Every structure is written in structure tokens, then in C-alpha cells.
């Protein structure tokens, strides 16, 4: 394993587009709010109010704003439309490395702690990571085969965890619906109040 600064593995060269100059064109937009749904938005140029960075499949997006939330996104290719990203993202492109491997590292507690140092802004949700500082952060680089193996393992674990969460949510809903059938909704409200005490 080799430790490199982020700037040494980042091949991204800034390229931007002003979508409002192409009002009828559809763009695939990687915005900060759409990250929560893990799906880009599809908007016409006249619906987009600012210049955007042009991104490609495999680019990794690190959110500058309020970095304690630790939003990391790998650009996919969901459509034939031009992919663009908000200026609130730091774009990382590294063709020699597995983008999912880098994304997993960028989601780690260690990297998150680094992203939350030396912030600018007045505090709370208005803080921002400084791209020049982020470019100096160390990144552990393994050979590509090992990166690919790590990604398979972590993706499988993530799927299992999400599956269990979905099962627990369904079980919780089933228990609540049976409770309402047996005792009525008012008692369920009282039960929820008591369990949250």
C-alpha cells in the first residue's frame, strides 16, 4: 500500500457549462439535495440557475458544504444526457483507481474527520471544506486487483445491512398495524410516547 496526496491521484480538469444557454436541453444534474435519493435530477437548461461542472461516469463527488454530513457520490451513467454537478462538490477523477474504492475511503471516519478541519464559514450548515486543503489529504492506494476485491466485500456487506434494515422496518410496521387492530390507534400513540421517554 502506498500513501498519496489526493491531488496526486486526481486527474480532473475543471470544465463548466452554463445550462441556461441551452434552455431546451436536458441535463443529468448531481445536486447536493438529490444525493439523499441517490439519483441525479433531470432538468432542462432553463430550470438550472447557475453554471455547473461537467462530470463523467466514475468521477467521485465530495461535498464541500457542511462536510460533517459526509456526502460522497460516484457519478453513474443513468442516461445519454450530459452529466453536470453543483459547485458544492469537489470532483475527483482517477482512472487508475476503482472509484468505488476511493468513495469507500472518503466515507471513512478518518477522512470525514479530516474534511471537518480548517473549515470556512460562520458555522453549522454554512461551513465549507477548502478544496486546496482537501487536495493535500493522504489517500491509501492499493493495487487495482486488491481495490476491486475490497469493493466487492464492502458492497456485499452494505447490501446485507440495508436488507436487514428494510426487514426491521417492515416488522416494525407489521407490529404497529397489529397493535392498532387489537387496541386502536390512540393506545399506539400513547405507547410511542412512552417508548420515547
Amino acid at each position: 500500500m502506498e500513501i498519496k496526496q489526493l491531488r496526486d491521484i486526481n486527474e480532473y480538469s475543471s470544465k463548466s457549462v452554463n445550462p441556461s444557454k441551452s434552455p431546451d436541453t436536458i441535463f443529468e444534474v448531481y445536486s447536493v439535495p438529490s444525493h439523499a435519493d441517490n439519483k441525479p435530477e433531470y432538468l432542462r437548461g432553463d430550470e438550472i440557475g447557475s453554471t455547473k461542472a461537467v462530470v463523467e461516469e466514475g468521477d467521485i463527488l465530495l461535498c464541500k458544504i457542511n462536510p460533517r454530513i459526509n456526502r460522497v457520490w460516484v457519478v453513474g451513467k443513468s442516461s445519454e444526457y450530459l452529466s453536470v454537478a453543483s459547485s458544492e462538490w469537489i470532483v475527483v477523477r482517477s482512472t487508475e483507481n476503482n472509484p468505488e474504492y476511493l468513495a469507500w475511503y472518503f466515507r471513512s471516519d478518518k477522512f470525514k474527520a479530516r474534511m471537518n478541519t480548517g473549515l470556512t464559514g460562520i458555522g453549522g450548515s454554512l461551513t465549507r471544506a477548502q478544496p486546496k486543503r482537501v487536495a493535500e489529504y493522504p489517500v491509501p492506494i492499493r493495487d487495482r486487483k486488491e481495490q476491486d476485491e475490497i469493493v466487492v466485500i464492502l458492497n456485499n456487506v452494505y447490501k446485507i445491512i440495508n436488507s436487514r434494515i428494510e426487514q426491521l422496518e417492515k416488522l416494525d410496521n407489521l407490529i404497529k398495524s397489529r397493535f392498532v387492530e387489537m387496541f386502536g390507534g390512540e393506545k399506539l400513540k400513547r405507547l410511542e410516547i412512552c417508548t420515547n421517554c
Side-chain angles (χ1 to χ4, degrees):
M1 183 174 71
E2 188 179 358
I3 303 296
K4 292 186 177 181
Q5 285 188 319
L6 183 50
R7 68 159 56 100
D8 295 330
I9 64 166
N10 193 357
E11 304 157 16
Y12 182 71
S13 179
S14 182
K15 181 180 175 186
S16 61
V17 64
N18 185 347
S20 64
K21 291 185 177 178
S22 305
D24 297 324
T25 303
I26 303 292
F27 293 87
E28 184 176 274
V29 184
Y30 287 81
S31 67
V32 174
S34 64
H35 174 266
D37 298 326
N38 200 30
K39 292 178 187 170
E41 299 174 277
Y42 295 94
L43 302 172
R44 288 166 33 109
D46 59 4
E47 297 176 290
I48 303 170
S50 60
T51 299
K52 303 293 180 197
V54 176
V55 293
E56 297 176 359
E57 182 178 8
D59 287 349
I60 304 116
L61 308 177
L62 303 174
C63 192
K64 292 187 286 191
I65 192 164
N66 197 3
R68 66 181 176 77
I69 296 176
N70 191 233
R71 289 173 282 231
V72 179
W73 206 351
V74 178
V75 175
K77 197 58 190 165
S78 308
S79 71
E80 73 278 7
Y81 304 120
L82 181 67
S83 298
V84 296
S86 160
S87 60
E88 293 295 351
W89 298 106
I90 297 169
V91 183
V92 178
R93 178 177 297 158
S94 186
T95 54
E96 292 182 9
N97 295 288
N98 185 319
E100 290 288 340
Y101 167 80
L102 294 175
W104 276 114
Y105 176 69
F106 296 149
R107 292 181 190 113
S108 71
D109 289 341
K110 183 183 279 190
F111 192 83
K112 180 180 174 181
R114 284 198 174 96
M115 283 286 284
N116 282 283
T117 59
L119 302 178
T120 60
I122 58 174
S125 62
L126 298 176
T127 57
R128 282 183 175 80
Q130 300 174 52
K132 286 182 180 177
R133 193 173 182 136
V134 174
E136 297 173 354
Y137 294 162
V139 180
I141 300 299
R142 301 171 184 273
D143 69 63
R144 183 60 187 251
K145 184 174 182 285
E146 195 174 354
Q147 288 182 26
D148 295 344
E149 290 169 354
I150 289 168
V151 166
V152 168
I153 291 167
L154 291 177
N155 284 348
N156 285 338
V157 169
Y158 182 74
K159 284 177 191 171
I160 291 167
I161 290 169
N162 277 346
S163 173
R164 295 297 182 260
I165 289 170
E166 285 176 22
Q167 290 171 354
L168 287 171
E169 286 173 355
K170 287 177 183 176
L171 181 59
D172 186 53
N173 289 335
L174 176 64
I175 290 169
K176 285 178 181 175
S177 67
R178 293 293 182 250
F179 192 94
V180 169
E181 283 176 19
M182 292 174 10
F183 302 107
E186 192 59 38
K187 292 189 189 244
L188 179 62
K189 286 179 190 170
R190 280 194 224 125
L191 177 69
E192 286 175 347
I193 292 167
C194 290
T195 56
N196 291 329
C197 294

